[in-house]
Amino acid sequence: MQAQPPGPPVRFAVVGNPENRRVALFAEAVRAAGLPAPRIVPWADVLRAGGADFAADEIVRLDSPGENPEVDRLLRDIQDPTRVEGSALWYARFTRATRGLRGGIRLDDTDDLAVLFDKRRCHATLEAADVPVPRSPTSGGDAAPVRGWDDVRTLMREHRMPRLFVKPAHGSSASGVLAVESSAAGRIRATTSVELTPDKVLFNSLKLRRYERERDIAAIVDTLAPDGLHLERWLPKASLRGRVTDLRIVVVAGRATHAVVRTSTSPLTNLHLGGSRGDLDAVREAVRAGGGRWSDVLAVCERTAACFPRTLCVGVDLLPAVGWRRSAVGEVNAFGDLLPRLTGLPGSGAEGLDTYAAQIAAVLHRTGTADTPQHPNHRHHAQHPHDPHRTGTPTHARA
């Protein structure tokens, strides 16, 4: 985020879907800070007009365009928002729309967003910065093409990956993700939220399914491949009370401020897919007992956010390894801050603040319009800011 000289009260503008709870929660936090209600610029208007204009002193927050059928249609040209396909077109139109925003002081950088919404580019960016990530044959300069299931099978063999995640390159909220396992005997199965209909159409679902016929898995992958696919080695994750565990950690202005533990009996821990919130104190104790340090866990997330220095806030999905001493970054979410009622971590400078209030406090601190307390070790990074289970394609909207 660019620095703003002292002057009139801070004015926010939000590009979002006006009816969405994300916009409502942020607006509530703005008003609670004693500031004028933010101006809401609907994504539908931005997409139809090819952009929008902002006053020079407006601080512009971009929020998720997800959970709105009309906006989804404008982005993907698909009438049924529960369909999985179309993520490449979504990415092209979304990034073009962000580049059509003119004026204002941005909290979300267009170039950062273009990387964050391409898992292959994001993985390569993190790897180049020595951030721990799962091994992948589909990121970096020598990335392998994935034209369908045959390519996935080949890469599994060549890179010795009997267990891997197959992810749409521009997907979110586990939409279209498959956790694939193969045995020495050649059997294969996949766990996914994708519903494959008899006529080979793919739908999002809130119900996880397990496919054990390779032809079904191939049909899903072959349908998704034209949108772009990213493959990652499936890292065995640590567990709490017999449930696999990972964390969503929100980083605001370079500082890890909020954390949620996600646990599940399945490989996909997303809360909207049946995952449950776990005990953060138990995680801290497990890290300590395993010989690790909680501060190092947070430092990995802060190093991740430092790869996107012109974006105020990101949500980092951290995968703790078995034994809790090491961890890797599985995802970085541009819109990963929807954690209602969760207050900041001790020592983060966001104690007592939810994710939205923490971002507003960071803006006020940077603009010199409030004396926002900061943790003494805070590091300032460079600034440049049909089935009842079916669900529409949200956009990095859920933990």
Side-chain angles (χ1 to χ4, degrees):
M1 188 190 79
Q2 299 165 332
Q4 183 188 36
V10 169
R11 294 195 300 151
F12 281 96
V14 179
V15 181
N17 295 327
E19 78 288 351
N20 194 276
R21 60 176 175 159
R22 292 171 156 274
V23 172
L25 288 168
F26 184 77
E28 180 183 326
V30 170
R31 292 190 297 269
L35 300 171
R39 181 167 72 97
I40 310 302
V41 180
W43 270 115
D45 293 351
V46 171
L47 291 165
R48 292 191 185 102
D53 293 291
F54 300 89
D57 65 339
E58 280 187 300
I59 296 178
V60 183
R61 167 186 169 87
L62 271 60
D63 219 325
S64 170
E67 302 178 338
N68 180 298
E70 175 62 12
V71 170
D72 186 68
R73 185 189 66 77
L74 291 169
L75 286 167
R76 293 196 295 153
D77 275 351
I78 290 178
Q79 296 301 319
D80 187 340
T82 68
R83 291 283 296 272
V84 180
E85 306 94 309
S87 59
L89 182 58
W90 182 100
Y91 175 79
R93 290 181 173 176
F94 172 75
T95 53
R96 185 167 65 242
T98 64
R99 297 187 190 285
L101 302 176
R102 299 169 293 272
I105 301 164
R106 310 296 177 78
L107 301 183
D108 312 87
D109 178 72
T110 53
D111 291 335
D112 284 353
L113 289 171
V115 175
L116 286 164
F117 281 101
D118 187 325
K119 297 183 193 302
R120 299 161 301 190
R121 294 180 63 189
C122 186
H123 186 282
T125 296
L126 298 180
E127 192 168 38
D130 291 325
V131 173
V133 288
R135 293 285 302 277
S136 171
T138 55
S139 73
D142 57 349
V146 183
R147 294 155 297 205
W149 177 244
D150 288 345
D151 286 343
V152 173
R153 274 300 225 172
T154 297
L155 291 169
M156 290 173 67
R157 182 177 62 255
E158 291 179 349
H159 291 266
R160 298 180 181 179
M161 293 193 304
R163 301 171 82 234
L164 77 161
F165 283 89
V166 179
K167 303 178 178 182
H170 311 297
S172 60
S173 300
S175 173
V177 172
L178 296 92
V180 178
E181 307 170 79
S182 62
S183 71
R187 291 188 298 272
I188 195 157
R189 68 182 182 186
T191 303
T192 179
S193 62
V194 172
E195 176 195 354
L196 175 67
T197 67
D199 54 352
K200 308 303 181 186
V201 176
L202 308 184
F203 290 94
N204 276 308
S205 175
L206 294 177
K207 177 183 176 182
L208 288 176
R209 290 168 166 79
R210 179 170 289 176
Y211 294 93
E212 298 189 346
R213 296 188 303 185
E214 186 165 356
R215 65 176 177 270
D216 291 335
I217 300 169
I220 295 172
V221 172
D222 288 346
T223 301
L224 293 175
D227 282 322
L229 292 174
H230 176 59
L231 311 185
E232 289 182 349
R233 186 180 299 275
W234 179 341
L235 301 179
K237 289 192 289 191
S239 65
L240 283 176
R241 301 180 181 92
R243 295 170 64 89
V244 295
T245 302
D246 61 22
L247 299 102
R248 163 69 58 83
I249 297 180
V250 175
V251 183
V252 177
R255 182 71 175 177
T257 58
H258 297 74
V260 165
V261 180
R262 309 183 303 184
T263 73
S264 180
T265 57
S266 84
L268 302 176
T269 60
N270 301 69
L271 300 181
H272 70 286
L273 295 178
S276 300
R277 288 196 181 191
D279 185 342
L280 185 58
D281 288 337
V283 167
R284 289 196 192 98
E285 175 57 26
V287 171
R288 187 201 63 78
R293 298 188 302 178
W294 178 245
S295 60
D296 292 340
V297 172
L298 299 182
V300 170
C301 300
E302 292 175 356
R303 285 167 51 203
T304 298
C307 295
F308 308 99
R310 296 175 297 273
T311 294
L312 178 68
C313 175
V314 295
V316 180
D317 289 349
L318 197 69
L319 317 177
V322 173
W324 293 97
R325 290 197 64 181
R326 295 177 295 103
S327 57
V329 173
E331 302 273 350
V332 190
N333 305 271
F335 304 133
D337 56 0
L338 181 59
L339 302 172
R341 299 179 300 281
L342 182 71
T343 54
L345 295 165
S348 68
E351 297 90 339
L353 304 178
D354 67 12
T355 57
Y356 301 113
Q359 291 171 70
I360 293 164
V363 170
L364 296 179
H365 177 76
R366 287 182 173 183
T367 59
T369 53
D371 185 16
T372 305
Q374 295 291 322
H375 188 272
N377 293 325
H378 183 86
R379 291 179 290 280
H380 291 278
H381 299 296
Q383 300 177 15
H384 295 276
H386 321 279
D387 179 336
H389 293 291
R390 288 180 189 160
T391 175
T393 305
T395 307
H396 285 260
R398 297 190 175 102

